[in-house]
């Protein structure tokens, strides 16, 4: 069983469209994240949710809206896509207040905006 | 806010030689330090961590890292590199006294091991 799974793995779309990326974790963690990895491989945190509550909301355009229906799911919806949104988006999870605290990552969703 | 720096974009070593990937950190409290590896078209995989205790920590695939408080460093090491170790390596830090939810990553170091 995949611990953190994201769909779709690849997404090619036109500028101006709206798209969503879904993420699910079966590790029983209570905290989930979205990271963006750009073409230079730099990894930047976008959002973090703990028990369905928004904890971290970095400087991200409000076209990006995360939604957490329950603590095992964190979806990312992007409105009015722009060329600069092209990147690989990683979902991750961890356990809040864990002594270890390492993140478990999904395989990534590569978004290409044409 | 906490941060890490990986001063080398690229590290090249010959197979069988020791390797070091450098990382320095900055936090206001106690550092929780991590190394992750990313293979092509894959997500990041956890390698090892330092929370407290022995300054030398051992992790997956024969990797180890040494925590040095005076130099604020956490360099990743392996005594004998394999071609299969070629990948992108990320150092990360979390502030042990702060919001333990917030992990910050370095820019990554691409390790190439040549046969």
């Amino acid at each position: 069983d995949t611990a953190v799974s994201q769909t779709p793995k690849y997404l090619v779309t036109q500028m101006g469209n709206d798209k969503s990326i879904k993420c699910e974790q079966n590790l029983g963690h209570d905290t989930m994240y979205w990271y963006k990895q750009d073409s230079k491989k730099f990894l930047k945190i976008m959002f973090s949710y703990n028990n369905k509550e928004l904890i971290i909301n970095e400087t991200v355009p409000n076209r990006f809206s995360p939604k957490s229906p329950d603590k095992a799911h964190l979806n990312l919806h992007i409105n009015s896509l722009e060329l600069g949104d092209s990147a690989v988006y990683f979902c991750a999870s961890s356990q809040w207040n864990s002594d270890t605290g390492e993140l478990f990552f999904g395989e990534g969703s590569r978004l290409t905006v044409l | 806010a906490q941060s890490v720096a990986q001063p080398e974009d690229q590290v090249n070593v010959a197979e069988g030689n020791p390797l070091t990937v450098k990382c320095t950190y900055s936090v206001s409290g106690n550092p929780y330090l991590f190394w992750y590896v990313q293979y092509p078209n894959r997500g990041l995989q956890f390698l090892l961590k330092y929370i407290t205790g022995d300054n030398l920590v051992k992790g997956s695939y024969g990797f180890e890292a040494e925590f040095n408080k005076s130099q604020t460093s956490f360099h990743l090491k392996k005594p004998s590199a394999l071609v299969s170790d070629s990948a992108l390596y990320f150092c990360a830090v979390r502030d042990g006294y702060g919001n333990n939810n917030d992990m910050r990553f370095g820019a990554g170091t691409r390790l190439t091991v040549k046969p």
Side-chain angles (χ1 to χ4, degrees), chain A:
Chain A
D1 279 346
T2 303
V4 181
S5 59
Q6 302 178 223
T7 56
K9 191 173 175 65
Y10 298 98
L11 188 53
V12 180
T13 189
Q14 300 287 330
M15 279 177 53
N17 284 351
D18 303 339
K19 290 295 177 186
S20 293
I21 305 172
K22 296 184 176 181
C23 180
E24 176 182 5
Q25 55 95 4
N26 62 6
L27 297 167
H29 290 161
D30 57 6
T31 307
M32 296 184 71
Y33 313 76
W34 278 108
Y35 282 84
K36 179 181 180 180
Q37 187 174 45
D38 62 24
S39 59
K40 294 185 179 180
K41 304 301 183 184
F42 185 72
L43 204 61
K44 185 178 186 303
I45 190 167
M46 300 173 68
F47 302 103
S48 167
Y49 269 74
N50 174 250
N51 280 322
K52 302 193 298 175
E53 287 190 30
L54 183 63
I55 302 298
I56 295 173
N57 184 359
E58 291 292 302
T59 306
V60 176
N62 58 15
R63 298 181 294 103
F64 290 79
S65 54
K67 285 186 172 53
S68 183
D70 55 61
K71 68 178 187 178
H73 295 83
L74 180 62
N75 304 323
L76 183 65
H77 189 75
I78 316 170
N79 290 327
S80 303
L81 279 157
E82 300 177 358
L83 292 177
D85 297 333
S86 295
V88 181
Y89 293 85
F90 286 100
C91 178
S93 72
S94 72
Q95 185 63 26
W96 183 283
N97 287 335
S98 164
D99 287 343
T100 56
E102 65 262 33
L103 302 182
F104 292 78
F105 283 84
E107 293 289 282
S109 297
R110 182 177 295 275
L111 172 65
T112 303
V113 182
L114 303 175

